[in-house]
Amino acid sequence: AVGGRVAVENVGEDPRGARFTVALPCVQSADHLSSAISDPGSLSDLPTIVGTSCLVVDDEPALLDLVSQILSEAGLEVQTAGSGLDALERMGESSFDLVISDVRMPGLDGLQLLDLLLDRATSWARHFLFITGDLLDPALKLRIEEVGARVLYKPFDIAQLLGAVQEVLGRRLDD
């Protein structure tokens, strides 16, 4: 659950009229988080992973820029892709130690991207970190668990992102 609430009330005298109100918690914007990483002291206590190559895939430009900026500040060599198809193209040009991908994207989504990579090498699931805000889809959760990829749920903070990156890189080193 996301911690919201749903309310229903009658509207006027007509029993067929109703008002539905859905209230969801406010999440910090990417702009707010971006200001947190502009302060060099905010990253000083976080682990760095220098020299690791990473591809970040997301169709939301603000999140794509934010995640890539955080990872670059932490010492990773980061490339970005705005879609699953763009990611496949980048992966044909370069190799990556880690792929961080949104799950839900138009066209080729994150799970479809991973499926294509798994056809090439089954170890790809250990190199993948999914980012999603979809907490309610049990089929999605089951599919991610089936392939053995790590998932980070939105909203997340810098420490959670870097911790998840370290976890995936640690799994990759165990290959």
Side-chain angles (χ1 to χ4, degrees), residues 115-146:
D115 284 339
L116 288 173
L117 296 172
L118 288 173
D119 287 343
R120 298 179 192 172
T122 56
S123 64
W124 262 111
R126 298 177 67 80
H127 299 247
F128 243 78
L129 171 59
F130 283 116
I131 295 177
T132 186
D134 191 345
L135 302 172
L136 303 177
D137 185 347
L140 173 66
K141 185 175 180 180
L142 179 63
R143 178 67 182 125
I144 291 172
E145 288 173 2
E146 284 174 353

Side-chain angles (χ1 to χ4, degrees), residues 5-161:
R5 65 178 174 80
V6 177
V8 180
E9 62 184 297
N10 288 332
V11 177
E13 300 291 322
D14 187 351
R16 296 175 294 171
R19 176 180 300 131
F20 291 83
T21 305
V22 178
L24 299 173
C26 182
V27 176
Q28 294 177 337
S29 71
D31 292 338
H32 177 74
L33 290 174
S34 183
S35 67
I37 66 170
S38 65
D39 170 19
S42 67
L43 291 175
S44 62
D45 296 331
L46 298 175
T48 60
I49 308 140
V50 178
T52 300
S53 61
C54 177
L55 177 64
V56 180
V57 187
D58 202 309
D59 61 324
E60 294 180 43
L63 191 59
L64 185 67
D65 291 345
L66 180 63
V67 170
S68 63
Q69 184 179 356
I70 291 168
L71 297 176
S72 293
E73 291 283 333
L76 281 83
E77 296 172 7
V78 180
Q79 290 189 40
T80 61
S83 70
L85 290 174
D86 191 16
L88 276 179
E89 185 177 318
R90 296 255 191 293
M91 295 176 89
E93 299 165 354
S94 303
S95 63
F96 297 95
D97 299 310
L98 170 69
V99 176
I100 300 174
S101 178
D102 188 11
V103 174
R104 304 265 189 226
M105 295 182 289
L108 186 69
D109 69 25
L111 283 167
Q112 292 167 330
L113 173 62
L114 178 56
D115 284 339
L116 288 173
L117 296 172
L118 288 173
D119 287 343
R120 298 179 192 172
T122 56
S123 64
W124 262 111
R126 298 177 67 80
H127 299 247
F128 243 78
L129 171 59
F130 283 116
I131 295 177
T132 186
D134 191 345
L135 302 172
L136 303 177
D137 185 347
L140 173 66
K141 185 175 180 180
L142 179 63
R143 178 67 182 125
I144 291 172
E145 288 173 2
E146 284 174 353
V147 297
R150 171 73 160 83
V151 63
L152 181 62
Y153 291 100
K154 300 174 190 173
F156 54 85
D157 61 29
I158 296 170
Q160 290 169 324
L161 174 62

Side-chain angles (χ1 to χ4, degrees), residues 126 167-175:
R126 298 177 67 80
E167 180 184 321
V168 171
L169 290 174
R171 289 170 37 175
R172 179 188 59 85
L173 295 174
D174 291 339
D175 284 350

